[in-house]
Amino acid sequence: MKQNNSENFRKVELDMTDLVSNSLQEIGRSFDEEALPSLSEFIRIRNLSPAFDPEGEATANTHAALEHVANWAADHAPDGSAIKTLTHVEHAPLLVIDIPGTVDGTVICYGHLDKQPADSDWSAAESGYTPVLRDGKLFGRGGVDGGFAPYCYVSAIATLDRLGIAHPRCIIILETTEKSHSIHLPRYFPDLRAACDTPDLIIALDSICADYDRIWYMQGYRGVIDGNLTIAALDKDAHSGAAGMAPSTVGIGMELLNRVCDLPSGLMKLDSFRAQKPRHLTTGGAETDAIAGRYFLRSAGVTRDIPTITDDPAAAASLPVWHSSLTIAGIQGLSSTNLTGGVLPSEVTIKIAVRTPPGHDSVSAAVDLEEALVADPPLNAAVDFSPSSILSGWRAGELPSWLKTSLDDASRTFFGNAATGWSIGGAYPEIEIIAQEFEDVPILMTGVQGPDSNFQDANESLDIPAAHKMTASIAKIFADFAGSSHRV
């Protein structure tokens, strides 16, 4: 790749990035006037992800959502942009917005347009598909979780184009199966390879943030082992009066789970699930650790006092990330609670999910988990553990020095504080898929899914001031990329 080492050119580029830094008001105005109305209309489209649409009834809506975003991008992306919809999978198309650069280098900008259901009660509107602007937020399903990304990317590049600021080629890819574990995303990799064999940088705007006072970028997330633990001990369901003689399949299940974890807390006991945790969860140290801890506690609905946890958020922050833990997600085979006395079920299946630390070998850990659960079961019960999915957690590679500098500068300029790297407990399968395909390419994963954005619940919302700041930050990163001599 060609490099430009001219000192005069570098000075011009630095002046241009200063211009970006002073353009937040302009970026906010253009986002509100040009992007927000279209994003609001996007919210109205009921384009469910395939996992929530087994009959394919939302396929037409999915194509409508892509057409809506494509039409907006055609009106607002710089001249020369190529926009096309790929349909290797009819119910899971991919939108590509290819924006030419003014310097060497290519950035792949990831986003998704598929949505989760919005059937729960929304206090902000009559439904999740009715956009509402209130208190500086845009409420509606898909407004922050997916929909924000293309409007941010295009707005950022369009701003640079208007200001005459150099920027790289940006290939925006918008998939429609992220909420379905990105199951069809790999089908489109040959097309991406044909467009750009090896990008210089990948940006994903699909992440959470613990507050809106800085940029939070992802350094890793936990893996997961999902599975079904089945316990059979009787030929048929027994009357509850047989308790004491007839084995309790639920009780046996709980004793088996107690072998591998501390049931009240869910923390795993097995050595193969332990990891070397860093001193601090976040790159900002104890201060941002505490912010992250409070975010995790609030998101989990922890409101009552819990000794050693709620009284020390900085220490608690690592618990849902660097400590393996088990959740009982459901129990099949129990009788109704309305029955007097109840019954002893002959067989139960306990659905469990075990979270493993970022980068942990979940496959080997799953083998140890199965052996511990099925060996020598109490009361000669028949026990089986069947994993349904195994996902190793992701750990990001080191970001290039120019990008870390750009992130900090953008975060201080637009949000007020230095950028903070962190890891979280949830998983983003699409990032692991992308990282495996584009090995050794740096990935910047960030976003504005912050406190009370409720992106998986009712009243999902996009914080508009944060959207302005992130759009300005992405613009600055693009500009700094163009002026950097340290790209791969």
Side-chain angles (χ1 to χ4, degrees):
M1 181 176 295
K2 292 193 307 182
Q3 301 291 346
N4 195 318
N5 296 315
S6 166
E7 288 301 319
N8 290 333
F9 179 81
R10 292 281 294 143
K11 183 178 185 301
V12 170
E13 291 300 335
L14 290 173
D15 290 343
M16 286 302 186
T17 57
D18 288 342
L19 186 58
V20 175
S21 299
N22 296 326
S23 63
L24 179 59
Q25 185 175 357
E26 166 63 17
I27 288 174
R29 180 201 61 76
S30 64
F31 187 90
D32 290 350
E33 294 180 2
E34 299 172 12
L36 209 53
S38 179
L39 179 55
S40 298
E41 291 305 308
F42 170 78
I43 286 173
R44 296 186 186 276
I45 305 173
R46 300 172 183 252
N47 54 309
L48 293 180
S49 194
F52 306 102
D53 181 43
E55 303 300 321
E57 296 175 355
T59 299
N61 290 335
T62 296
H63 284 269
L66 265 66
E67 182 179 6
H68 175 80
V69 174
N71 289 339
W72 180 86
D75 291 337
H76 295 87
D79 293 341
S81 299
I83 302 172
K84 59 182 177 180
T85 298
L86 305 178
T87 54
H88 298 319
V89 182
E90 178 63 24
H91 66 279
L94 181 89
L95 179 62
V96 179
I97 305 170
D98 192 343
I99 302 176
T102 58
V103 297
D104 290 335
T106 299
V107 179
I108 288 181
C109 304
Y110 170 87
H112 72 90
L113 298 178
D114 54 319
K115 301 175 184 176
Q116 298 180 108
D119 300 328
S120 53
D121 292 333
W122 288 57
S123 61
E126 61 185 29
S127 81
Y129 302 107
T130 303
V132 172
L133 272 171
R134 191 178 70 195
D135 300 329
K137 297 178 182 290
L138 173 64
F139 290 85
R141 178 62 84 225
V144 66
D145 190 3
F148 167 68
Y151 294 96
C152 176
Y153 292 135
V154 173
S155 296
I157 301 169
T159 298
L160 297 178
D161 190 65
R162 284 196 304 270
L163 296 174
I165 299 177
H167 60 80
R169 177 191 183 194
C170 296
I171 303 177
I172 302 171
I173 59 169
L174 303 168
E175 69 152 319
T176 52
T177 62
E178 191 273 344
K179 295 301 176 189
S180 305
H181 302 291
S182 296
I183 53 175
H184 295 304
L185 179 59
R187 294 284 298 274
Y188 295 97
F189 283 158
D191 299 88
L192 296 180
R193 287 290 193 182
C196 172
D197 184 60
T198 304
D200 298 275
L201 174 66
I202 296 170
I203 299 178
L205 284 176
D206 194 34
S207 183
I208 62 176
C209 56
D211 65 14
Y212 297 120
D213 296 327
R214 71 209 79 227
I215 293 175
W216 294 79
Y217 62 94
M218 193 68 64
Q219 293 186 304
Y221 55 73
R222 287 206 287 185
V224 63
I225 303 169
D226 282 326
N228 294 315
L229 176 64
T230 299
I231 303 98
L234 302 171
D235 292 336
K236 62 180 182 179
D237 291 351
H239 188 277
S240 59
M245 176 187 68
S248 166
T249 49
V250 175
I252 292 170
M254 294 302 113
E255 182 168 332
L256 294 173
L257 293 178
N258 194 54
R259 291 177 177 178
V260 301
C261 80
D262 172 67
L263 283 173
S265 68
L267 294 176
M268 294 294 290
K269 297 177 180 177
L270 299 180
D271 289 340
S272 56
F273 283 83
R274 301 184 192 280
Q276 185 71 36
K277 74 181 186 71
R279 179 182 178 190
H280 291 288
L281 174 73
T282 67
T283 58
E287 180 180 355
T288 47
D289 283 358
I291 295 171
R294 286 190 288 270
Y295 173 83
F296 291 149
L297 289 167
R298 185 173 181 177
S299 298
V302 177
T303 57
R304 66 185 65 195
D305 290 336
I306 303 177
T308 73
I309 295 179
T310 54
D311 53 358
D312 191 355
S318 69
L319 288 174
V321 180
W322 285 102
H323 297 262
S324 298
S325 58
L326 182 147
T327 299
I328 298 175
I331 302 179
Q332 182 180 353
L334 297 181
S335 60
S336 169
T337 57
N338 293 326
L339 292 176
T340 301
V343 297
L344 287 171
S346 60
E347 178 178 313
V348 294
T349 297
I350 304 174
K351 174 72 172 180
I352 64 173
V354 181
R355 296 283 179 173
T356 58
H360 201 67
D361 185 354
S362 295
V363 175
S364 295
V367 173
D368 291 344
L369 176 64
E370 179 178 8
E371 291 178 352
L373 288 174
V374 304
D376 300 321
L379 302 179
N380 202 31
V383 177
D384 175 73
F385 177 69
S386 301
S388 53
S389 66
I390 301 174
L391 175 69
S392 292
W394 175 70
R395 293 191 73 176
E398 189 73 14
L399 294 179
S401 58
W402 76 264
L403 181 54
K404 288 196 286 189
T405 299
S406 182
L407 267 175
D408 271 341
D409 289 348
S411 188
R412 287 192 178 97
T413 299
F414 300 118
F415 289 87
N417 296 281
T420 298
W422 67 331
S423 299
I424 66 168
Y428 291 84
E430 75 274 14
I431 297 302
E432 179 65 19
I433 292 171
I434 292 171
Q436 289 177 0
E437 176 66 22
F438 296 98
E439 207 172 357
D440 299 325
V441 177
I443 298 177
L444 170 61
M445 186 176 184
T446 184
V448 289
Q449 298 179 27
D452 300 321
S453 58
N454 300 318
F455 52 93
Q456 293 183 332
D457 304 309
N459 299 323
E460 176 183 339
S461 64
L462 171 68
D463 186 276
I464 303 301
H468 295 169
K469 296 172 185 177
M470 182 57 73
T471 303
S473 297
I474 295 299
K476 178 163 173 51
I477 290 169
F478 287 150
D480 289 342
F481 178 104
S484 171
S485 60
H486 304 289
R487 302 193 302 273
V488 288

